[in-house]
Amino acid sequence: MTEQDLRRVLQESTANIHWSKDQQTVLQSHAAGGSVRPRKKLVFMVILALMLTATLSIAVAESLGWGLTDFFRFRQEEKILQEHPEVVQTKIPQQFSGSDNYTVTITEAVYDGFASHVVATIKPKDSSILLLDETVDVDMGIPALNLSYMEFDFFDEDAHYPTIGEWAAEHGKKPVKYGYMLSKESGGDYSQLEDGTQVLYESTYYDNGPDTLPMTLSVLFYDPEKGPDQGKQEEVEVKFTLQKTPPKWVRNFKPALEVKECGIVIDEIKLSTTVMATYLHVQFHALESETTTRRYYWFLLAEEDGTFREKAHAGLNHAGQGESLASFAPLGDVPPSTITLLITDHEDGTEHLIRVDVPQEEQP
Amino acid sequence: MTADRNAQLADWMQMYGDWLLRTCVLILQDYALAEDAVQETFLKAWRAADRFEGRDGCSEKTWLMRIAVNTCSTMRSSAWSRHMDRRKLPEEMNLPSKEEDLTLLMMVESLPYKQRQVVTLHYFSGCSMDDLAQVLGINRSTAHYRLQKALKTLRIAYKEGDDIHD
């Protein structure tokens, strides 16, 4: 294996990846309007903001009102939520365990029985506390991660840039790390506002969850020097409940469809459409060999011409043995009579298109 | 001035869009995150376009890559990326059909972040040692050392098979 092989493999493996025309159009249209809408997702915005307090006001930061649409910026969900604000829950019943040092609040959520997207804020009461997500390294050099946001235009190799820890010490800030988890496994993102407030966004997935969903958000605060075990300072939690926005329609059916090319039988399809997404859950079993049972298949929803339907970015994607779950841009208000599935063999990349009839009545 | 900047943005996307996106996919191992990173990169560059004058001998291409790499580092720190399954390559990538190529790709993608970053930038993005130093904000010898360390990691991973050699 040579360095040339290394180059070739990296080139070939990414040859089909292209900067999309859609993304180009979005950026160009904003630019043509005279301004590019600034993204508010600045992981280290607090550092920048604290360094530029002379020009930024906390009042402005608070008025930003970070919410779900901000985390879904430029994604289809942003438009969906703008068109259907009624699905966003803002008055969420919640019980905070209390703290002398922090306030934790669930501010927005969407829950449709298949996915929940929750926004929470963590706000230190003491303005000298510099909250840092647990992935942030206190020894990290500040400009290295904020090139275009800082007033440093370019790096000077010989210059010493302060680390986050050094900057905090210089400005009388006390770094405190925090880690958080929801009662169910989730994935998400976070942002930091100018006043030090942390805004968390977490998505969780369900297999037709209950109408009223109880959840708990736990947050652990700790000394970054000592770590979460030795340096634990405080642990708080918020218990809250979400109300399900009912799906537009659900079709669970058992087609017992044999797909010979893949050597599998599709046992069950669960197809559900909500305001947020269409969720496709396929269960299958292998016809024969053990080899087939170890193969993983993605079942993607395709348009009639075979091109695959846009995925829900904030949605679920999972291929396991005997099952595949994925979410897509929502289908219409009534179930289609047929759907086209693009079956992708995760191992060798081969694809098969099949058409499946969808029952017009919900099967018992 | 705005019209110039807008035209420049269009040129950048045309010339460097694919290149930046592919680099970010290899570094972040997530297509959606990589798309965000490139978008963020162009936004940052668009905002700072007036300030770019090829300072310090830094080419426009290197400057864009530097912003992209910094953006990737920021995104990688986010809570979302912590939940990613790093055992899987993005489905948008072409998985090599030859087993040894696939093994090599998986080994590169299994490298620690900084090593994967430097291997991607050098072997995929075509960054020279000077470019690496500028892109990563480190000195040239550090860039060289980091690349050698990455190659050593790959060699160790390859010890039972072929070797990486010049």
Side-chain angles (χ1 to χ4, degrees):
Chain A
M1 189 63 67
T2 66
E3 288 185 301
Q4 283 70 31
D5 290 325
L6 192 50
R7 282 194 188 90
R8 177 181 52 77
V9 166
L10 294 177
Q11 297 283 354
E12 288 176 359
S13 64
T14 55
N16 284 349
I17 291 175
H18 300 285
W19 177 239
S20 76
K21 295 285 177 201
D22 288 348
Q23 291 276 25
Q24 288 191 31
T25 307
V26 168
L27 288 183
Q28 280 178 302
S29 64
H30 282 300
S35 68
V36 171
R37 187 178 179 188
R39 288 168 62 97
K40 285 183 272 181
K41 180 188 172 187
L42 307 178
V43 175
F44 292 93
M45 196 166 179
V46 64
I47 305 294
L48 159 71
L50 291 169
M51 293 184 82
L52 301 177
T53 43
T55 54
L56 294 175
S57 100
I58 287 172
V60 169
E62 287 175 343
S63 72
L64 286 174
W66 260 78
L68 281 171
T69 51
D70 298 297
F71 285 107
F72 291 148
R73 178 74 36 90
F74 294 127
R75 295 172 174 177
Q76 57 174 311
E77 287 86 350
E78 181 187 24
K79 192 173 171 216
I80 291 172
L81 291 179
Q82 283 165 350
E83 288 173 356
H84 298 277
E86 72 279 5
V87 302
V88 180
Q89 298 173 45
T90 51
K91 293 175 182 172
I92 300 161
Q94 54 194 288
Q95 192 175 9
F96 177 42
S97 61
S99 165
D100 292 334
N101 303 309
Y102 306 97
T103 305
V104 183
T105 312
I106 310 298
T107 56
E108 275 189 3
V110 168
Y111 168 57
D112 62 6
F114 301 93
S116 66
H117 309 290
V118 174
V119 174
T121 57
I122 306 174
K123 189 170 184 174
K125 293 179 180 173
D126 177 354
S127 62
S128 70
I129 287 178
L130 177 62
L131 275 181
L132 300 171
D133 176 86
E134 59 187 342
T135 58
V136 175
D137 185 351
V138 178
D139 294 330
M140 199 177 275
I142 294 172
L145 289 168
N146 292 280
L147 180 68
S148 68
Y149 295 101
M150 311 301 292
E151 292 305 308
F152 302 94
D153 281 350
F154 292 95
F155 295 117
D156 177 352
E157 283 179 14
D158 300 322
H160 170 72
Y161 294 109
T163 63
I164 291 172
E166 287 168 343
W167 181 88
E170 222 171 83
H171 292 77
K173 301 287 179 185
K174 189 170 65 177
V176 173
K177 280 196 172 184
Y178 69 94
Y180 63 91
M181 60 182 291
L182 276 174
S183 42
K184 194 173 185 303
E185 191 180 347
S186 62
D189 201 347
Y190 73 98
S191 186
Q192 301 181 255
L193 301 187
E194 286 87 340
D195 66 349
T197 300
Q198 309 286 303
V199 189
L200 318 178
Y201 149 69
E202 290 287 303
S203 292
T204 312
Y205 302 99
Y206 315 88
D207 186 7
N208 201 8
D211 291 349
T212 300
L213 179 72
M215 297 188 87
T216 303
L217 171 68
S218 306
V219 188
L220 170 69
F221 300 93
Y222 61 92
D223 181 341
E225 299 295 326
K226 296 178 181 171
D229 295 329
Q230 303 292 323
K232 178 178 171 181
Q233 293 172 347
E234 193 173 353
E235 190 166 4
V236 300
E237 64 177 29
V238 185
K239 292 182 182 298
F240 60 101
T241 52
L242 302 180
Q243 295 302 318
K244 179 158 83 176
T245 303
K248 293 179 184 175
W249 51 266
V250 175
R251 289 291 179 271
N252 296 337
F253 53 105
K254 297 179 178 175
L257 184 64
E258 188 176 314
V259 187
K260 282 185 182 164
E261 302 92 322
C262 304
I264 58 170
V265 173
I266 297 176
D267 300 310
E268 186 171 13
I269 293 176
K270 295 177 182 175
L271 188 67
S272 313
T273 291
T274 72
V275 169
M276 293 298 290
T278 287
Y279 302 91
L280 174 69
H281 186 182
V282 178
Q283 288 180 309
F284 60 91
H285 72 268
L287 276 170
E288 289 173 4
S289 71
E290 281 186 18
T291 311
T292 311
T293 60
R294 284 201 298 270
R295 291 180 97 96
Y296 290 83
Y297 292 95
W298 282 104
F299 285 76
L300 303 175
L301 205 52
E303 306 294 353
E304 283 189 8
D305 63 4
T307 56
F308 101 95
R309 189 174 181 82
E310 188 182 358
K311 277 186 186 170
H313 273 75
L316 174 63
N317 293 292
H318 166 70
Q321 189 169 309
E323 69 168 355
S324 163
L325 294 91
S327 56
F328 304 89
L331 291 168
D333 291 339
V334 294
S337 54
T338 60
I339 52 171
T340 305
L341 298 182
L342 180 65
I343 309 173
T344 305
D345 184 330
H346 198 263
E347 203 163 293
D348 61 17
T350 55
E351 294 178 339
H352 305 280
L353 271 177
I354 61 166
R355 191 152 291 179
V356 182
D357 291 333
V358 178
Q360 288 309 289
E361 299 294 330
E362 176 65 1
Q363 293 180 345
Chain B
M1 182 61 82
T2 301
D4 289 346
R5 281 201 305 166
N6 295 348
Q8 197 165 38
L9 175 66
D11 286 346
W12 285 338
M13 288 195 289
Q14 182 71 30
M15 284 191 288
Y16 305 122
D18 289 355
W19 177 67
L20 287 173
L21 181 60
R22 291 169 188 178
T23 301
C24 292
V25 166
L26 288 168
I27 289 176
L28 289 170
Q29 301 173 323
D30 181 278
Y31 184 78
L33 269 185
E35 262 195 331
D36 279 357
V38 175
Q39 177 189 295
E40 190 82 36
T41 297
F42 284 131
L43 289 179
K44 288 175 181 176
W46 184 87
R47 283 196 214 104
D50 297 342
R51 286 184 284 153
F52 176 72
E53 296 162 357
R55 288 184 215 184
D56 302 333
C58 179
S59 72
E60 184 180 78
K61 192 176 172 183
T62 306
W63 178 65
L64 285 168
M65 182 57 79
R66 183 156 67 183
I67 297 175
V69 165
N70 284 323
T71 305
C72 286
S73 297
T74 302
M75 288 190 158
R76 184 178 161 271
S77 306
S78 74
W80 173 257
S81 69
R82 278 182 288 142
H83 294 282
M84 280 166 43
D85 184 351
R86 299 192 184 283
R87 292 164 301 180
K88 291 177 187 168
L89 292 172
E91 61 189 78
E92 290 80 3
M93 287 177 72
N94 294 330
L95 294 186
S97 51
K98 281 170 66 180
E99 196 175 333
E100 58 191 40
D101 286 351
L102 182 62
T103 304
L104 182 60
L105 180 64
M106 294 304 289
M107 277 167 33
V108 171
E109 294 299 293
S110 301
L111 285 171
Y113 181 71
K114 285 183 178 176
Q115 294 182 21
R116 186 168 75 245
Q117 195 182 44
V118 82
V119 165
T120 300
L121 290 171
H122 184 63
Y123 289 106
F124 172 76
S125 312
C127 290
S128 65
M129 285 302 149
D130 288 334
D131 291 338
L132 279 179
Q134 283 185 322
V135 166
L136 297 172
I138 55 181
N139 63 44
R140 198 178 180 281
S141 59
T142 305
H144 185 259
Y145 170 76
R146 201 176 281 177
L147 185 63
Q148 291 310 310
K149 196 174 172 188
L151 288 176
K152 188 178 176 187
T153 307
L154 286 175
R155 286 191 185 103
I156 290 170
Y158 234 80
K159 63 185 176 185
E160 291 179 358
D162 205 347
D163 198 4
I164 308 275
H165 51 84
D166 295 339

